[in-house]
């Protein structure tokens, strides 16, 4: 690769019922997608949103994989069609741009596309248009996911997905910065429209920031493709 041109890779996430995620896994296998990860999660949306998109307070799974952009675009359409995303009790899928990856992972991803698709997928990252949606990620102490959503909903968030995690890190560095974070953490994912992103992040930061009992951090990633959000 030369100049600023590089292959366009995407992380594709499907958030849906366990049954639909299992079907998504099979679709990925049929497409010879080499790397897949499944996380157990729970929806947080109100009953109205749950009825509309299937993102409510029921068990959810998150399926994540990496692939070239042209392949990801096709997979989003396939998921939309075969899983009926956007219908009641279904889910959503979206893609997030990736800037880099390990050499072995890149080779596996590149193997998913033809030579012509590889040429088409090379583009200048600086020319990427601003996306309509962003994925907001709030990482808080266990038990504070509801407070995150209480802060986010009044300023535009319609729902979120929660999964549990465990912090690993440098204890000495945390103590140096005066931070003492409990190891059990919750991760809240919120898909937000770009005009609501800043207000949502600021609201979460005020209520659940690093200096609160939640000791949360908030970040966002651009989303450049969606299924089930129309």
């Amino acid at each position: 690769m030369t100049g600023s041109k590089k292959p366009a890779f995407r992380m594709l996430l499907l958030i849906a019922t366990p049954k639909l995620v299992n079907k998504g896994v099979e679709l990925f296998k049929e497409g010879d997608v080499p790397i897949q990860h499944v996380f157990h999660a729970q929806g947080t949306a109100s009953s109205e949103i749950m009825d509309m998109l299937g993102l409510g307070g029921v068990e959810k799974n998150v399926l994540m994989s990496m692939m070239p952009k042209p392949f990801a675009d096709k997979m989003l359409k396939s998921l939309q069609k075969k899983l009926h995303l956007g219908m009641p009790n279904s889910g959503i899928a979206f893609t997030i741009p990736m800037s880099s990856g390990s050499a072995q992972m890149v080779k596996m991803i590149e193997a998913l596309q033809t030579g012509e698709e590889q040429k088409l997928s090379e583009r200048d990252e600086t020319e990427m248009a601003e996306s309509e949606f962003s994925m907001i990620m709030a990482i808080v102490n266990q038990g504070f996911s509801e407070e995150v959503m209480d802060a986010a909903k009044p300023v535009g968030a319609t729902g979120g997905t929660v999964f549990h995690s465990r912090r690993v890190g440098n204890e000495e560095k945390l103590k140096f910065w005066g931070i003492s974070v409990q190891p059990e953490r919750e991760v809240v994912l919120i898909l937000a429209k770009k005009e609501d992103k800043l207000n949502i992040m600021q609201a979460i930061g005020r209520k659940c920031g690093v200096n609160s009992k939640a000791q949360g951090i908030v970040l966002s990633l651009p989303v450049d493709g969606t299924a089930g959000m129309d």
Side-chain angles (χ1 to χ4, degrees):
M1 292 180 290
T2 61
S4 59
K5 300 291 183 180
K6 53 186 175 181
F9 296 146
R10 293 294 183 268
M11 180 183 294
L12 190 154
L13 291 96
L14 168 66
I15 302 176
T17 62
K19 182 178 180 179
L20 287 184
V21 165
N22 288 338
K23 290 183 178 180
V25 169
E26 293 304 314
L27 287 175
F28 281 15
K29 287 182 178 179
E30 291 174 8
D32 293 326
V33 177
I35 304 173
Q36 301 181 49
H37 301 280
V38 176
F39 306 93
H40 298 289
Q42 184 174 1
T44 66
S46 65
S47 59
E48 295 179 12
I49 299 300
M50 181 182 70
D51 291 340
M52 184 173 66
L53 294 178
L55 300 177
V58 295
E59 184 183 2
K60 294 291 171 183
N61 280 354
V62 180
L63 173 61
M64 182 182 75
S65 188
M66 288 69 70
M67 55 194 69
K69 185 181 185 304
F71 192 94
D73 292 341
K74 293 177 183 178
M75 187 57 67
L76 274 179
K77 293 179 181 178
S78 180
L79 291 170
Q80 173 94 56
K81 180 180 179 180
K82 296 183 179 181
L83 304 187
H84 306 289
L85 299 183
M87 299 295 290
N89 289 322
S90 59
I92 59 172
F94 54 94
T95 54
I96 298 172
M98 293 172 54
S99 60
S100 62
S102 66
Q104 186 64 28
M105 185 188 72
V106 168
K107 288 181 180 179
M108 289 190 290
I109 295 175
E110 287 179 335
L112 291 172
Q113 60 187 353
T114 65
E116 186 62 29
E117 287 175 334
Q118 187 168 355
K119 291 179 181 178
L120 291 173
S121 73
E122 293 181 357
R123 87 285 188 235
D124 190 343
E125 287 285 351
T126 62
E127 295 177 358
M128 187 174 66
E130 186 178 2
S131 57
E132 182 180 355
F133 292 94
S134 290
M135 186 187 76
I136 297 172
M137 178 184 293
I139 306 172
V140 295
N141 286 339
Q142 187 172 3
F144 285 89
S145 58
E146 289 188 7
E147 291 196 18
V148 170
M149 293 310 303
D150 287 344
K153 285 181 179 180
V155 290
T158 56
T161 302
V162 180
F163 58 92
H164 299 277
S165 67
R166 183 175 179 83
R167 179 186 59 78
V168 293
N170 190 317
E171 297 293 340
E172 292 184 2
K173 288 292 184 182
L174 289 174
K175 290 179 180 178
F176 175 81
W177 290 105
I179 300 173
S180 176
V181 182
Q182 70 181 51
E184 299 300 326
R185 305 278 274 170
E186 290 177 340
V187 181
V188 184
L189 302 182
I190 300 171
L191 199 61
K193 292 183 177 180
K194 62 181 181 182
E195 60 264 29
D196 297 326
K197 179 186 72 173
L198 182 59
N199 288 336
I200 292 173
M201 294 181 70
Q202 290 176 337
I204 295 172
R206 285 192 295 267
K207 186 165 187 172
C208 303
V210 70
N211 294 320
S212 69
K213 290 183 179 180
Q215 296 182 312
I217 59 173
V218 187
L219 55 93
S220 69
L221 294 168
V223 170
D224 69 339
T226 64
M229 292 296 292
D230 297 330

